Amino acid sequence: MTVDSTKKQTKVYSSMVSIGKELAVDVYSKSGFLLLKRGHYVLTPEQKQKLVSLGFAEAKAETKPADKPNLNDSNKQSQFEDIAFLQQRVRSVLHHAMVTRNVEDKVMEIAQTLIQLAEQHPDALIASIFLVPFSEYSVAHSLHTAALLSILTRHIALPPKHRETLICAALTMNIAQVELQNELFGQAARLDDEQRQAVLDHPLMSSAILREAGVDNQLWHTLVQTHHESWHGNGYPFGLPKEQILPPAHMLHLADITCAKLLPRRYRAALLPATALGQIFQRKDNEFDQSFTTMLVKELGIYPPGSFVRIASEEICVVISAGAKPSEPLTAAIRRADGPPYGEPLLRDTSKPAYKVVAPCHAREAKVRVSFLAHLWKC
């Protein structure tokens, strides 16, 4: 596209370009080729400098106000590095609990870090469930479940230390079947008898390992032992009736199932968040506490941070955070549906008809590395 030569041109000044905000004018090169279209976002100081040094615009263009967040604050860091490091800490505990000193304190420290992230950076923590790579499913699933519980318990009044204990239980609930979980991650076939028995035994075996490793917190043990108990009374290992299942154990059960649905296996894609949450919400009252499922849907939304959507402009976007309405999240376009990734993600206001969310889409349609997206969630 080239500039209309009949219109007067003016040099682009620094005040006309704001990092992290929509460009108010079309910017052209001296020869008349379009460098960046009005409405796109300037995301880096280098990009701004290039536009200022090389760009021309139509004279008397009005500056278009924008109130979007600055995605390129040089003083900020992505949270994903911290969350990836937490994966390593969780892995160390799950693999070496019996030879690690002060296991209870170490797990509690991880839980407190997750709580801090949930309070200060909830969108980044939710996004990490979908985006931060992992090498071991068992480690990732435990951390994802604990992260989700950190989010869900933000507005629940719990007795002192019960929130931390619940998250500790999520981190260690499968400590007796770490290798088996990793094996089942890539297994499409049905469980054999030995695998099935190990799965049935793992709540009690995990509690036993934790006790041997020095964990004395009885609530922690109870939650680990009962995180597979079901309101139908057909859970394991005890087959407890609904009335005997502690509410935090029930919440742990819900978070465990939710995260399992949201994560892919080697032989299948993850469920779309809206599909997974819809399946769970349909089971409210019958299998899950309605107040918990309502809270789950409210906190994650139909388009959770870190998930992907297709918008009316035929672009694939990643969701950054919730918007004013559940159907209008703040997103960043990463590529056209039929094209290569953009040089930088471009903010899109989905409350505008041109950028309306059309449908959720799978991560495989995004075709970008996490490093390309990580800076969207800042400290």
Side-chain angles (χ1 to χ4, degrees):
M1 183 182 295
T2 58
V3 66
D4 184 347
S5 60
T6 65
K7 294 184 178 180
K8 186 177 179 180
Q9 300 296 301
T10 184
K11 194 76 178 69
V12 171
Y13 297 101
S14 181
S15 60
M16 297 168 64
V17 183
S18 298
I19 298 173
K21 293 187 177 181
E22 289 179 315
L23 195 63
V25 294
D26 292 333
V27 178
Y28 298 86
S29 69
K30 188 175 182 179
S31 60
F33 287 94
L34 181 65
L35 295 176
L36 194 65
K37 189 173 178 59
R38 175 178 178 170
H40 282 221
Y41 287 79
V42 180
L43 295 178
T44 66
E46 293 78 10
Q47 187 182 17
K48 175 179 177 177
Q49 181 59 38
K50 182 177 180 181
L51 293 174
V52 172
S53 62
L54 302 178
F56 291 82
E58 294 177 7
K60 299 182 180 180
E62 296 182 3
T63 300
K64 184 178 179 181
D67 56 359
K68 299 298 182 185
N70 182 351
L71 300 184
N72 292 276
D73 187 333
S74 60
N75 295 320
K76 294 184 177 181
Q77 299 287 331
S78 170
Q79 293 298 320
F80 286 3
E81 291 183 10
D82 291 337
I83 295 165
F85 181 62
L86 281 181
Q87 274 193 23
Q88 299 306 311
R89 293 173 64 186
V90 173
R91 183 185 186 281
S92 178
V93 168
L94 294 182
H95 281 280
H96 308 295
M98 298 295 288
V99 294
T100 301
R101 299 180 61 182
N102 304 317
V103 166
E104 185 168 348
D105 292 340
K106 292 184 185 303
V107 179
M108 188 65 71
E109 288 173 3
I110 297 172
Q112 290 167 345
T113 300
L114 286 169
I115 289 172
Q116 184 177 4
L117 286 168
E119 297 294 340
Q120 297 179 4
H121 310 287
D123 293 328
L125 189 56
I126 295 172
S128 73
I129 295 175
F130 298 96
L131 296 178
V132 174
F134 60 87
S135 58
E136 290 189 47
Y137 172 77
S138 59
V139 174
H141 178 68
S142 296
L143 183 58
H144 293 166
T145 305
L148 181 56
L149 287 168
S150 301
I151 295 290
L152 295 180
T153 53
R154 285 185 301 165
H155 307 300
I156 299 178
L158 294 172
K161 291 296 182 181
H162 277 216
R163 184 183 186 190
E164 290 89 340
T165 301
L166 172 59
I167 296 166
C168 286
L171 290 167
T172 57
M173 61 186 175
N174 298 320
I175 198 169
Q177 61 167 9
V178 173
E179 296 301 337
L180 177 59
Q181 270 200 314
N182 291 335
E183 178 184 338
L184 297 178
F185 175 69
Q187 178 178 313
R190 300 173 70 92
L191 276 63
D192 60 33
D193 291 342
E194 183 178 353
Q195 290 173 329
R196 187 176 297 105
Q197 190 60 51
V199 168
L200 293 174
D201 290 343
H202 88 267
L204 293 180
M205 291 298 296
S206 293
S207 176
I209 290 172
L210 290 170
R211 199 174 298 280
E212 188 68 21
V215 175
D216 295 324
N217 185 319
Q218 188 53 49
L219 176 60
W220 186 337
H221 284 285
T222 299
L223 296 178
V224 168
Q225 291 172 7
T226 59
H227 74 277
H228 278 292
E229 297 296 336
S230 167
W231 271 16
H232 289 311
N234 59 353
Y236 59 92
F238 304 116
L240 296 177
K242 172 181 174 180
E243 296 76 15
Q244 294 183 23
I245 302 172
L246 294 179
H250 183 61
M251 183 179 289
L252 176 54
H253 180 56
L254 173 62
D256 185 17
I257 291 175
T258 301
C259 289
K261 289 179 177 291
L262 292 176
L263 218 61
R265 297 291 191 274
R266 287 200 180 96
Y267 55 88
R268 68 154 174 83
L271 292 180
L272 291 169
T275 302
L277 295 176
Q279 290 179 0
I280 289 171
F281 196 72
Q282 288 174 1
R283 293 152 71 179
K284 68 183 189 305
D285 295 330
N286 181 38
E287 188 172 345
F288 298 118
D289 188 306
Q290 181 176 354
S291 64
F292 290 171
T293 55
T294 300
M295 182 186 353
L296 178 67
V297 173
K298 179 180 178 181
E299 291 290 347
L300 291 185
I302 55 176
Y303 306 122
S307 64
F308 296 90
V309 295
R310 189 185 298 265
I311 62 175
S313 59
E314 296 187 1
E315 293 173 302
I316 304 297
C317 298
V318 64
V319 177
I320 301 173
S321 64
K325 297 180 180 179
S327 60
E328 299 174 355
L330 176 64
T331 68
I334 54 183
R335 53 182 289 268
R336 289 192 61 81
D338 58 354
Y342 298 144
E344 290 284 346
L346 304 173
L347 287 176
R348 293 291 185 249
D349 182 355
T350 59
S351 67
K352 297 180 179 179
Y355 298 133
K356 179 181 178 181
V357 174
V358 175
C361 60
H362 288 284
R364 63 175 178 268
E365 297 182 54
K367 300 178 183 177
V368 294
R369 300 185 306 275
V370 172
S371 58
F372 182 72
L373 304 174
H375 72 281
L376 296 171
W377 292 274
K378 301 285 187 174
C379 295

